[in-house]
Amino acid sequence: LLNPDNNRSWEINAAVNAPGSTGGCLMFDNYANPNVTGQKDWLLFPRISTAGKSKLRLKLSYAYKFYQGFGGVAPDTFTIGYSSQCGGTRKPLLRRGGTQLATAGSQSSNYTPAAGDWRILSLNLDSLLVYPEVSVSFENLFGYGNRLFIDDVQIDTANNCPDAPTVSVNDDSLCIGNQ
């Protein structure tokens, strides 16, 4: 966990689960504390050795409702990134923000997902296999919007997500949603 401002950050919400899951989920409360708008926090996963691997996949469930309180633009942004160096710069693989992040429309009050609000995100990260080790990260850009929930995170070197879209790694990394 990297929380440079020592304020709100990723936490476990034991009361919320994606359908079929138990044990709680990850949550970032973008709804609380407007004094940290623009702050970034990261959840950093352990390095993965890619030696001898032929597949690298990421799969997760997430839920988010767009917050309408900012003239139609809520800058909460979720980024999946990676680092190919121990403690090195994190580079984006996928970025979604505002309405592109929303799985269940919008509302202007604190959000807790219903079962039908969850979406599954699968990424083929085979392009990262060129590095001896990689570390995946989740970044939240706090925009004083709404709560983001993530569950069922799987990062593996097996083919558990065969229909996952391929992500290319270069200077024009795949970015969906707000930058």
Side-chain angles (χ1 to χ4, degrees):
L1 184 65
L2 182 57
N3 180 6
D5 61 357
N6 291 318
N7 205 316
R8 292 234 172 247
S9 195
W10 293 98
E11 59 188 81
I12 300 293
N13 184 317
V16 176
N17 296 289
S21 248
T22 60
C25 70
L26 287 170
M27 181 188 81
F28 200 102
D29 190 352
N30 290 297
Y31 186 78
N33 196 353
N35 297 325
V36 295
T37 299
Q39 295 294 317
K40 294 179 181 180
D41 289 87
W42 293 267
L43 182 63
L44 308 172
F45 290 90
R47 289 188 310 264
I48 300 165
S49 173
T50 61
K53 308 296 185 203
S54 61
K55 305 274 185 212
L56 183 59
R57 304 291 189 260
L58 168 68
K59 186 176 182 179
L60 60 88
S61 298
Y62 75 102
Y64 175 80
K65 264 196 181 179
F66 175 70
Y67 182 82
Q68 296 176 322
F70 295 105
V73 179
D76 296 335
T77 302
F78 174 62
T79 302
I80 297 171
Y82 77 98
S83 173
S84 59
Q85 303 169 357
C86 182
T89 303
R90 287 170 295 283
K91 298 176 184 174
L93 292 166
L94 179 133
R95 182 175 289 139
R96 290 186 179 171
T99 57
Q100 289 79 28
L101 180 59
T103 62
S106 63
Q107 72 182 47
S108 56
S109 60
N110 204 6
Y111 169 64
T112 300
D117 292 352
W118 292 86
R119 299 291 177 267
I120 295 174
L121 175 65
S122 298
L123 294 176
N124 174 329
L125 304 178
D126 289 353
S127 60
L128 298 180
L129 293 172
V130 298
Y131 303 111
E133 291 184 330
V134 294
S135 175
V136 174
S137 62
F138 294 166
E139 173 191 298
N140 183 84
L141 172 62
F142 185 93
Y144 192 43
N146 230 322
R147 299 191 304 172
L148 169 64
F149 298 85
I150 298 177
D151 205 354
D152 300 329
V153 177
Q154 299 173 35
I155 302 172
D156 62 43
T157 54
N159 197 16
N160 292 333
C161 314
D163 297 326
T166 300
V167 175
S168 298
V169 178
N170 57 42
D171 291 336
D172 298 320
S173 296
L174 173 67
C175 295
I176 300 173
N178 297 337
Q179 296 297 314

